[in-house]
Amino acid sequence: MARFVLVHGSFHGPWCWERFAQLLEAVGHQVTTVALPTAPEEADLAGYAAHVVEAIDSLAEPVILVGHSMGGIVSAQVSELRPDRLLAAVYVNGLLLRDGESLASFLGDNAHLDVDDLVLKNMQVSEDGSTARFPAAKAPEVFYGSCTTEAAEWASARLGEQRTKVYGDPLRLTPERFGRVRRFYVRGLRDMAVSLAYQDVMLANTPCEATLDIDGDHSPFLSAPAELAAALTAVAAATEKLAA
């Protein structure tokens, strides 16, 4: 059994993991969920990573770090900061970028793919560009397309404001630290938020030990929780085997 540290993505919070965390705990895993800070002075890549590092440092055992969507950027930076505390990093439909890349630069470099980016198309950015919100009416289509109506409505109603600075902050990664953390990728085959075309580029740029496919949407912790739990349990078994 493993200790998982779960990092949410944009517009979300620890609430998105509530039901899924109970499922992991029911099969014997331990779960820590992290609330990324919202205060302007902390709501950037450095602040997010520091907050996750603080959570990891409060735990006695090494952990498996799980980053969903934008949480993947945070997980990569945490991998650089605490490689010795991580058994593995798992990217769930996650943004898996390289040293020096930001989400903004990645999107610019891959504009030739002509992806219909439903997150950028629908999110509502403040006048000064510092914050964004995602309309609840569009969330079921973009984030929760495979969920039950009840789950999609439950989650859509809880979406919050997202500070945008993290999207322009470049990652600082090295082969000696980030590079030695075992990486796994969980891909929702019906993801409408992080395009599979983008995911293919990211996985080609930064290969993972295994890619685990789930027949689900951008939010498998709600749409395919049993399958996601099985995927994370498989990662835990793989890390256990190597340790043995």
Side-chain angles (χ1 to χ4, degrees):
M1 295 298 105
R3 162 73 72 174
F4 291 100
V5 174
L6 309 180
V7 182
H8 64 80
S10 297
F11 311 107
H12 289 68
W15 56 263
C16 72
W17 300 110
E18 284 175 9
R19 303 176 182 190
F20 179 66
Q22 292 171 7
L23 183 59
L24 282 181
E25 289 168 344
V27 296
H29 297 300
Q30 295 177 292
V31 179
T32 298
T33 58
V34 180
L36 297 179
T38 57
E41 63 275 13
E42 293 182 285
D44 56 12
L45 179 57
Y48 287 170
H51 205 67
V52 177
V53 163
E54 185 180 354
I56 290 170
D57 287 349
S58 73
L59 302 169
E61 65 271 58
V63 307
I64 296 175
L65 182 61
V66 180
H68 173 241
S69 196
M70 178 274 290
I73 303 176
V74 182
S75 294
Q77 197 60 66
V78 172
S79 295
E80 175 72 15
L81 296 171
R82 288 294 186 275
D84 295 331
R85 298 300 322 282
L86 303 184
L87 295 173
V90 184
Y91 298 80
V92 178
N93 292 323
L95 298 173
L96 179 56
L97 306 178
R98 296 173 291 182
D99 175 51
E101 281 188 321
S102 66
L103 176 58
S105 72
F106 175 85
L107 293 176
D109 291 344
N110 291 281
H112 63 279
L113 296 175
D114 202 25
V115 168
D116 186 19
D117 193 319
L118 296 179
V119 177
L120 286 180
K121 181 187 281 187
N122 289 288
M123 74 180 192
Q124 300 161 343
V125 182
S126 63
E127 264 186 57
D128 65 1
S130 66
T131 62
R133 288 189 172 274
F134 201 86
K138 296 298 293 184
E141 173 193 351
V142 180
F143 297 146
Y144 314 119
S146 304
C147 292
T148 64
T149 301
E150 181 274 331
E153 290 178 351
W154 177 85
S156 299
R158 285 162 174 76
L159 295 175
E161 186 176 75
Q162 172 65 46
R163 295 242 157 217
T164 58
K165 189 173 183 302
V166 66
Y167 302 140
D169 289 344
L171 279 161
R172 296 294 176 226
L173 308 175
T174 63
E176 298 77 19
R177 296 180 68 82
F178 167 79
R180 76 171 187 259
V181 176
R182 299 175 72 185
R183 295 185 301 274
F184 297 82
Y185 200 96
V186 177
R187 184 170 58 169
L189 297 178
R190 291 192 258 172
D191 191 348
M192 299 297 288
V194 178
S195 159
L196 293 182
Y198 286 154
Q199 293 187 35
D200 288 345
V201 171
M202 291 187 289
L203 286 165
N205 290 343
T206 308
C208 292
E209 187 170 325
T211 299
L212 308 167
D213 288 344
I214 288 178
D215 184 23
D217 57 26
H218 185 62
S219 308
F221 42 83
L222 290 175
S223 62
E227 292 87 343
L228 181 57
L232 294 187
T233 297
V235 171
T239 59
E240 220 173 80
K241 221 176 273 183
L242 190 70

